Amino acid sequence: MGPVVDLPELPGVEHVDVDAAGLRVHVALAGAPDAPPVVLLHGWPQHWWAWRHVIPLLADRYRLVIPDLRGHGWTDAPPSGYGKEQLASDLLATLDVLGLERVRLVGHDWGGWAGFLACLREPTRFERFVAVSIPPPSLRLHPRAALDAWRISYQVLLATPLGPRLLQERPELVRRALRAGAQHPEASTDADLDLFARVLQEPARARASSLVYRTFLLEDAPSLLIGRYRDAELLVPTTILHGTHDVVVQRWMLRGGPGFRPRLEIRSTDDAGHWLPEERPDLVAAAVAESVPVPN
């Protein structure tokens, strides 16, 4: 069952549910069906509505495919499967069921992390990748890591059994987090924030949010620290977009390992925080529409 929250309406957007390897995935669609496909994948604590400012900038040229992650938005929220490799598998299964052999991909936050993993696993499926407000998984330890550890303290809280209860009983915490992480809080209305917060009040989705962070801290992060992706080679031309006012993601985190650097470009703007798709949708749209560079 999906959340007991009505889907918001956006001109030109239609909605379908697909069975992606056993997971019912909600997908918003915009643009001409025969136009080049672009997949937009959100992060936490959001859903497809995070792209509401980007959609009008791209729908005249591309077929936009906008899934909700497992446990988010109107996609099913099963009791397990929140490791980030599984999120990448969900993405690839969604492409399969929609018959999309090769796409441009944009991923924000956890959607960006899942995007990196999918690009590493099946690079021929992706013409270009735009990663927004997320470091690559080949992230290496840095002298500043200890000083910046406080930036993920919220993840620890959400990962505990208290996390789902807070999301259900204190929706204002989600609203505050979305405002606090923005350089331009006016880019989201109170109604937008309420839409994100209310979906997460549904018990299965509150639990899913907790599991996203619990699996990261207990499974994904240890794997990262022992070097699972350290020698990985990124073959997909990739641009990272980063707002310098991002409270969580710092520029030192973005460089990646040697196998990433030949095809990885980092662009920072002083005019955004963490929520770049809402604060600077023009930068996101411009990165998507660029020609794909020819490898040296």
Side-chain angles (χ1 to χ4, degrees):
M1 263 188 89
V4 190
V5 178
D6 291 336
L7 275 164
E9 294 184 5
L10 196 67
V13 175
E14 58 183 312
H15 301 271
V16 298
D17 288 339
V18 300
D19 185 337
L23 178 73
R24 185 189 61 79
V25 176
H26 164 257
V27 185
L29 299 166
D34 58 349
V38 173
V39 176
L40 307 175
L41 199 60
H42 68 89
W44 188 88
Q46 298 182 297
H47 42 66
W48 76 273
W49 191 248
W51 303 103
R52 64 195 178 278
H53 299 323
V54 175
I55 292 170
L57 302 180
L58 293 174
D60 61 332
R61 290 166 286 169
Y62 298 101
R63 178 60 163 175
L64 302 181
V65 179
I66 316 166
D68 286 336
L69 290 170
R70 158 185 307 245
H72 295 68
W74 287 263
T75 290
D76 275 348
S80 62
Y82 295 92
K84 307 311 164 286
E85 286 286 356
Q86 180 59 54
L87 298 187
S89 294
D90 293 342
L91 169 60
L92 293 168
T94 301
L95 298 185
D96 289 342
V97 75
L98 292 172
L100 298 173
E101 296 182 1
R102 187 170 169 83
V103 303
R104 294 191 177 204
L105 174 66
V106 187
H108 176 249
D109 192 82
W110 286 126
W113 192 278
F116 268 119
L117 300 185
C119 287
L120 292 176
R121 197 187 306 175
E122 295 193 22
T124 60
R125 305 291 297 271
F126 303 100
E127 180 184 357
R128 181 183 186 83
F129 179 38
V130 180
V132 187
S133 308
I134 194 72
S138 59
L139 171 72
R140 296 193 174 204
L141 288 178
H142 186 278
R144 288 193 55 182
L147 294 175
D148 285 335
W150 65 270
R151 298 181 185 276
I152 64 167
S153 58
Y154 72 96
Q155 298 185 9
V156 177
L157 178 60
L158 286 171
T160 69
L162 182 61
R165 182 176 173 182
L166 286 173
L167 292 174
Q168 292 176 75
E169 298 179 2
R170 301 285 300 278
E172 70 273 11
L173 295 178
V174 172
R175 300 186 191 103
R176 288 176 187 170
L178 290 164
R179 287 278 191 228
Q183 176 70 3
H184 291 286
E186 70 279 4
S188 293
T189 66
D190 290 343
D192 295 327
L193 304 185
D194 186 58
L195 182 61
F196 294 127
R198 284 192 299 126
V199 171
L200 293 182
Q201 287 183 276
E202 196 270 325
R205 277 153 228 291
R207 179 193 62 207
S209 290
S210 183
L211 290 173
V212 164
Y213 287 102
R214 192 177 307 164
T215 56
F216 177 69
L217 295 173
L218 298 181
E219 300 172 17
D220 301 316
S223 174
L224 178 74
L225 291 174
I226 64 174
R228 179 173 183 177
Y229 306 105
R230 188 168 298 153
D231 298 322
E233 185 177 6
L234 180 67
L235 301 177
V236 179
T238 298
T239 298
I240 292 180
L241 299 181
H242 170 246
T244 59
H245 297 278
D246 195 317
V247 177
V248 177
V249 179
Q250 302 297 289
R251 188 174 172 87
W252 68 262
M253 302 176 181
L254 303 179
R255 191 173 179 216
F260 279 59
R261 293 171 198 157
R263 291 178 176 83
L264 182 64
E265 178 193 11
I266 301 169
R267 300 180 189 173
S268 292
T269 174
D270 293 331
D271 195 35
H274 186 69
W275 315 106
L276 252 158
E278 288 138 317
E279 299 181 74
R280 292 299 309 270
D282 57 318
L283 296 182
V284 177
V288 171
E290 288 177 353
S291 299
V292 177
V294 177
N296 295 326

